[in-house]
Amino acid sequence: MKKFLTISLSIILACFGVAKAQVTGTTSVHVKLVDILALTVNNSDVNINFNNASDYQNGVTVAMPGHLTVTSNQPYTLNVKAAGNLAGTGANTDVLDPSVLTVALPTTGNNTTLGAVPTTASGLSTTNAALVTSATPGLLKLLDVNYTVPSSVSTTSALLGKKADTYTTTVTYTITQ
């Protein structure tokens, strides 16, 4: 009898089609993007030392690997400029024109994934000079920078005849999207 009731109940349920209840809900997902742009100079001092005759004859380059860290979610331009003349210390009234400096992003090392060809700011000035334009977006991207006083400058009165001293200016980098 029990078997008969179970089979009968199964047949009745099959005939009337017992459906499972189903409820759904929806939501809208919003992904909001904002432009991000950040620049960090990782070494606060760059020392270009002229220690011997060879330095004056050949010029001096100081490579600064990972000198800058850039974050940008859009293609960006990196500019460089000097605040003004490189001034001596103390009573030294000699100055060096900022054009004695060349700043470059080498095409090697950390700079191989810029997505754009870097340029050189030969003869730095107080006006922005582009080091790279339309660089590929990236997060915490390290950039290598070379600072140079080339022999075309170091063998001239731009350096020769100046008092022995440490001459200083501020170099400013600016990134824009």
Side-chain angles (χ1 to χ4, degrees):
M1 180 75 173
K2 217 177 194 186
K3 195 173 187 182
F4 174 75
L5 284 176
T6 303
I7 292 173
S8 298
L9 185 58
S10 296
I11 292 171
I12 292 171
L13 289 175
C15 289
F16 290 107
V18 175
K20 293 183 180 180
Q22 180 177 348
V23 177
T24 61
T26 62
T27 188
S28 296
V29 175
H30 306 275
V31 177
K32 181 181 180 183
L33 302 178
V34 297
D35 286 336
I36 57 168
L37 190 61
L39 171 68
T40 303
V41 178
N42 297 316
N43 313 88
S44 60
D45 290 306
V46 177
N47 295 297
I48 304 172
N49 298 317
F50 283 81
N51 295 317
N52 53 52
S54 176
D55 291 340
Y56 284 92
Q57 290 169 338
N58 301 313
V60 175
T61 296
V62 176
M64 301 294 288
H67 186 51
L68 304 175
T69 302
V70 172
T71 294
S72 179
N73 68 312
Q74 298 291 330
Y76 63 91
T77 296
L78 175 67
N79 293 302
V80 63
K81 69 179 180 178
N85 289 332
L86 289 88
T89 59
N92 181 5
T93 58
D94 284 347
V95 295
L96 305 180
D97 191 274
S99 64
V100 304
L101 296 173
T102 294
V103 178
L105 299 180
T107 57
T108 58
N110 286 315
N111 299 348
T112 59
T113 59
L114 287 173
V117 177
T119 60
T120 298
S122 296
L124 208 56
S125 74
T126 56
T127 304
N128 275 328
L131 290 174
V132 67
T133 302
S134 297
T136 302
L139 302 174
L140 301 174
K141 172 76 177 126
L142 291 175
L143 300 181
D144 301 337
V145 179
N146 288 347
Y147 293 86
T148 302
V149 176
S151 61
S152 60
V153 171
S154 62
T155 57
T156 70
S157 62
L159 293 190
L160 299 177
K162 302 295 183 184
K163 292 182 178 107
D165 200 349
T166 299
Y167 294 84
T168 304
T169 191
T170 300
V171 172
T172 302
Y173 292 93
T174 306
I175 56 173
T176 54
Q177 293 179 330

